[in-house]
Amino acid sequence: MTETTSAMPRIHVLDPRLANQIAAGEVVERPASVTKELIENAIDAGSQRIEVDIEAGGARLIKIRDDGVGIGEQDLPLALARHATSKIDSLEDLEGVSSLGFRGEALASISSVSRLELVSNALDDPRQGWRVVAEGRGMETRVTPAPHPRGTSVSVRDLFFNTPARRKFLRTEKTEFAHVEEAFRRQALSRYDIAWTLRHNQKVVHQLPPGNSEAARERRIASLLGNNFIEHARYIEREAGALRLSGWVGLPTHSRAQADQQYFFVNGRVVRDRLVAHAVRQAYRDVLYNGRHPVFVLYLTLDPDVVDVNVHPTKHEVRFRDGRMVHDFLYSSLHHSLADARPNAEDVSGDSSSLTSAQEEAPADPARWQQQGMALSPSASPSNDRHPGGERVRRFMQGYQALHPDHEETLLTPQPTGHEGESIKAQGNVREAPLAMPHSDPTSAPPLGYALGQLHGVYILAQNAHGLVLVDMHAAHERIVYERMKNQLAASRVDTQPLLVPVSLAASRSEVATVESEREAIATLGVELDVAGPETLLVRQLPALLSQADPEALVREMLEELARFGRTHQVEARIHELLSSMACHGSVRANRRLTLDEMNALLRDMERTERSDQCNHGRPTWTQMDMKALDRLFMRGQ
Ligand code: ADP
Ligand code: MG
């Protein structure tokens, strides 16, 4: 008893420096986070010009100079104190906060882990001004006179000099500067009315005049994100009630392997928000090949009262009062903008037409499909065989010709990049053209020909009347599965396939709850799930098209998405998005060996599937090299 008491640590109040250093752990991660906080202060001060000077990636110096309102002599020591801010007074202020800062923590935290100097002048007389220094020791500060033009300069030297463990985590100068530059880029994209400069080791990296016109704004974007970005993006503007979305969206053809050029601002604050990310991803899903990332710079403005920015210390996340409404607005705005941006827009949105033709057509050669009804033809069940045969092939050929009007002459590489305009035109013409196959081909071989073999487990090589056809098998199959699921769903008859052995799945309570509240939606999707225990689910049945998918991965993704939106009448509208991700699970993976029969089955599937060729989707599923082109490669007959 006595021993326990003596070993028990006593409670005491932390000394202010330590408290600040602990708080710094949250906001001050690296030079880039310091840069972000200081720039935000400069913006909040109403600056017209902000200059950022960095030395040694920010480890040696981060200096931000602005021409904002400045800080008066009396307020200077307070600026560095914790929980001291000029931006809010009350809880009501917090609820409608429009400044970037309001926690009153940044300067206190930064000064506890660096040598910070702040010089400021709140008057128009440049002979005035005051300096305050904090060296990370005690938190006491001294104010001395120091002339400065109106505005503020904050210099942060030797970041983490007194917290060696954290200093060790700093990466190379180059890496740290890259992060600083990214922080700068985000801020510079948030305010076109401000002139910006960024220097590293005295060299100018960005010099951005105010963007007073659209052209000037686009110049700024080009210098921050590259010419490529702006050349392949289009400006959009949408409004609904108090919500407004504007900015630049990259065309699907200009996607990237990393999600690095994605900027989303909510009331001028850059956020990385799950709800926003989800809406954007869904909007692009139908036009972007899986695994590619769109590029965009988007600005959402809404009443500050309906968004809570005080969710996270770095304020990178936000909480919308009506998240679903915001999500729907984003999704539908982007979806429409992208539909306008791509060729054959009506085709993509209008599924009813394909359905009509599906019903009109006679079943196309069911026997053959049955034969090949393995992974590649999950459509093996007879009811699936109402492929809209002739009509689709015709359309397919039209699309093909539209893309390759000079197919006799050229190396046919349907790469939409840089040719969006052309494809739009070509596709447009074709839609009005009579249904004919002018180069219908005497050997009556199918358009995509017959498979010759597989290349490195990724591509199918085939021979058709014109020469060589190359198919990306995963991309093609995913598209086929997706389109079929859409058709089945639209006809409310998703073909299902019971699992021979139900798969038991350890689930969270919230997943189980989702199963119970979303029974209807889940059934519509052709999935049968039983609740077998408080934390156990049984997968009994999957859509036939996805019978090859990993049931666990598929079900988890489905539940996650359903949970995010809850049951609403809009579940219907989301189902396509869901299907697309499900299709990916059910599709043949790269590196799977296929037999020639399977390859041919895939080619035939492609011919029968609407939109199975690349032009609408940002990434081709197949390409053609005709004989002339091949001859040219080898200089035959020249
Ligand atoms: P917050 O921004 O959350 O208020 P900070 O610690 O970042 O907290 O800044 C504390 C206060 O110092 C601010 O509220 C503001 O009054 C003042 N301040 C900081 N930087 C500047 C600046 N560049 N110009 C004018 N005032 C500033
Ligand atoms: Mg601040």
Side-chain angles (χ1 to χ4, degrees):
M1 185 74 177
T2 344
E3 266 175 43
T4 326
T5 314
S6 67
M8 189 163 62
R10 301 298 313 277
I11 299 178
H12 58 279
V13 173
L14 293 177
D15 87 75
R17 175 177 59 136
L18 184 55
N20 286 336
Q21 285 173 335
I22 292 169
E26 281 184 317
V27 244
V28 191
E29 192 198 336
R30 59 187 346 158
S33 33
V34 173
T35 310
K36 165 189 175 282
E37 293 292 337
L38 298 181
I39 291 179
E40 286 189 353
N41 282 345
I43 294 177
D44 283 345
S47 308
Q48 294 304 298
R49 151 167 293 287
I50 297 176
E51 294 182 21
V52 181
D53 270 286
I54 302 295
E55 282 176 23
R60 188 157 65 227
L61 174 74
I62 301 160
K63 181 173 180 185
I64 316 280
R65 184 189 182 103
D66 69 53
D67 62 355
V69 292
I71 309 174
E73 182 191 353
Q74 265 81 44
D75 283 355
L76 261 192
L78 270 181
L80 302 191
R82 186 126 172 259
H83 302 307
T85 180
S86 57
K87 298 170 193 174
I88 56 170
D89 255 330
S90 64
L91 192 62
E92 291 85 74
D93 288 352
L94 177 59
E95 280 165 8
V97 72
S98 58
S99 57
L100 296 169
F102 53 78
R103 298 169 63 100
E105 278 187 334
L107 289 182
S109 299
I110 296 165
S111 67
S112 74
V113 292
S114 69
R115 300 192 166 95
L116 183 143
E117 177 196 73
L118 193 157
V119 185
S120 192
N121 179 4
L123 306 170
D124 281 325
D125 178 355
R127 289 164 304 178
Q128 308 276 338
W130 297 91
R131 171 202 318 265
V132 64
V133 216
E135 287 225 336
R137 279 185 235 106
M139 292 308 291
E140 71 284 353
T141 44
R142 268 180 319 121
V143 177
T144 51
H148 189 279
R150 206 186 82 142
T152 305
S153 296
V154 182
S155 309
V156 172
R157 283 174 218 280
D158 305 325
L159 184 64
F160 300 139
F161 79 99
N162 55 355
T163 51
R166 306 201 55 195
R167 180 130 186 134
K168 272 216 301 274
F169 277 102
L170 290 182
R171 313 295 285 277
T172 61
E173 170 169 340
K174 200 167 149 237
T175 303
E176 292 302 337
F177 182 74
H179 286 281
V180 168
E181 187 184 4
E182 182 60 20
F184 174 90
R185 197 177 276 128
R186 290 176 184 171
Q187 307 276 4
L189 288 172
S190 80
R191 288 290 294 268
Y192 293 91
D193 54 330
I194 297 175
W196 300 82
T197 308
L198 173 66
R199 279 180 288 258
H200 189 206
N201 298 332
Q202 276 97 46
K203 282 219 289 286
V204 174
V205 180
H206 291 289
Q207 178 95 55
L208 309 167
N212 300 322
S213 62
E214 190 171 334
R217 286 190 282 276
E218 296 202 340
R219 269 200 301 281
R220 174 175 295 194
I221 292 203
S223 66
L224 288 169
L225 299 175
N227 284 324
N228 223 3
F229 179 99
I230 206 73
E231 276 162 21
H232 297 103
R234 58 150 51 190
Y235 184 74
I236 64 160
E237 251 180 57
R238 300 255 163 181
E239 239 175 292
L243 300 177
R244 181 167 188 278
L245 183 72
S246 63
W248 290 265
V249 290
L251 296 170
T253 46
H254 182 57
S255 60
R256 289 169 70 87
Q258 302 98 37
D260 56 348
Q261 293 199 340
Q262 305 189 338
Y263 299 88
F264 199 96
F265 299 84
V266 175
N267 288 345
R269 187 190 300 278
V270 70
V271 301
R272 292 212 160 262
D273 185 79
R274 270 173 67 99
L275 178 131
V276 166
H278 188 265
V280 174
R281 200 169 57 237
Q282 301 300 12
Y284 270 95
R285 185 161 263 180
D286 212 30
V287 291
L288 207 60
Y289 183 79
N290 234 308
R292 299 288 298 175
H293 301 274
V295 302
F296 51 83
V297 178
L298 287 168
Y299 303 89
L300 175 69
T301 45
L302 72 181
D303 186 343
D305 285 344
V306 302
V307 45
D308 183 0
V309 291
N310 188 26
V311 183
H312 192 268
T314 61
K315 310 186 206 81
H316 275 155
E317 283 165 41
V318 290
R319 196 177 292 131
F320 299 102
R321 187 167 299 163
D322 189 345
R324 186 163 301 163
M325 185 182 75
V326 173
H327 182 284
D328 287 351
F329 170 67
L330 292 179
Y331 172 75
S332 65
S333 304
L334 291 173
H335 195 74
H336 282 120
S337 308
L338 292 169
D340 297 347
R342 73 192 159 206
N344 242 354
E346 306 127 83
D347 243 4
V348 172
S349 51
D351 265 315
S352 48
S353 63
S354 53
L355 206 73
T356 327
S357 55
Q359 281 149 359
E360 285 163 4
E361 301 287 338
D365 194 5
R368 188 171 169 91
W369 298 104
Q370 304 259 317
Q371 258 176 44
Q372 281 147 356
M374 297 151 304
L376 271 181
S377 273
S379 56
S381 68
S383 61
N384 264 333
D385 286 328
R386 297 163 161 230
H387 296 303
E391 166 65 4
R392 292 236 174 127
V393 175
R394 259 198 314 276
R395 281 176 175 237
F396 184 86
M397 289 310 294
Q398 287 169 23
Y400 170 82
Q401 284 183 284
L403 275 163
H404 316 303
D406 47 356
H407 70 278
E408 308 276 75
E409 303 295 328
T410 345
L411 179 69
L412 296 171
T413 318
Q415 258 164 5
T417 317
H419 300 288
E420 292 82 22
E422 283 165 51
S423 336
I424 291 169
K425 219 163 83 231
Q427 295 280 329
N429 291 343
V430 161
R431 291 172 60 76
E432 281 125 48
L435 300 178
M437 268 208 277
H439 66 303
S440 66
D441 139 65
T443 65
S444 82
L448 292 178
Y450 293 109
L452 302 168
Q454 209 178 352
L455 184 67
H456 283 294
V458 178
Y459 299 105
I460 293 171
L461 310 186
Q463 166 178 334
N464 71 356
H466 308 290
L468 177 68
V469 172
L470 278 157
V471 175
D472 176 336
M473 68 189 209
H474 176 69
H477 193 240
E478 187 176 321
R479 176 55 55 180
I480 288 165
V481 170
Y482 174 45
E483 293 295 334
R484 286 206 187 131
M485 291 271 312
K486 279 206 296 197
N487 286 345
Q488 291 191 1
L489 203 80
S492 325
R493 44 162 188 79
V494 173
D495 294 303
T496 56
Q497 182 162 319
L499 302 183
L500 284 178
V501 184
V503 175
S504 155
L505 222 155
S508 69
R509 277 167 195 268
S510 69
E511 284 173 324
V512 171
T514 307
V515 172
E516 297 195 312
S517 60
E518 304 293 336
R519 288 206 173 279
E520 224 174 287
I522 293 171
T524 319
L525 288 165
V527 175
E528 191 185 320
L529 273 181
D530 277 357
V531 177
E535 296 187 336
T536 314
L537 295 173
L538 268 189
V539 190
R540 294 195 176 277
Q541 167 188 290
L542 292 179
L545 283 167
L546 302 178
S547 58
Q548 303 299 314
D550 167 10
E552 176 164 352
L554 185 82
V555 164
R556 284 200 199 285
E557 179 152 353
M558 180 187 78
L559 291 179
E560 196 196 320
E561 302 212 353
L562 286 172
R564 196 161 7 229
F565 303 113
R567 178 166 49 186
T568 64
H569 56 288
Q570 287 149 333
V571 164
E572 292 300 315
R574 308 224 191 276
I575 281 186
H576 283 186
E577 307 157 16
L578 234 152
L579 288 185
S580 161
S581 58
M582 289 166 84
C584 183
H585 286 286
S587 301
V588 61
R589 294 271 141 213
N591 290 320
R592 236 204 75 200
R593 263 184 198 291
L594 302 183
T595 64
L596 280 181
D597 274 351
E598 286 177 312
M599 292 182 226
N600 283 323
L602 180 64
L603 296 175
R604 301 296 80 80
D605 274 355
M606 288 174 68
E607 288 157 0
R608 287 163 216 271
T609 303
E610 199 147 354
R611 297 187 279 279
S612 71
D613 87 10
Q614 84 302 322
C615 57
N616 297 335
H617 310 294
R619 204 183 123 161
T621 54
W622 65 278
T623 187
Q624 164 106 55
M625 282 175 94
D626 68 11
M627 293 307 286
K628 286 241 168 74
L630 288 167
D631 288 348
R632 259 201 313 276
L633 266 181
F634 296 97
M635 301 180 184
R636 275 177 75 122
Q638 284 184 18

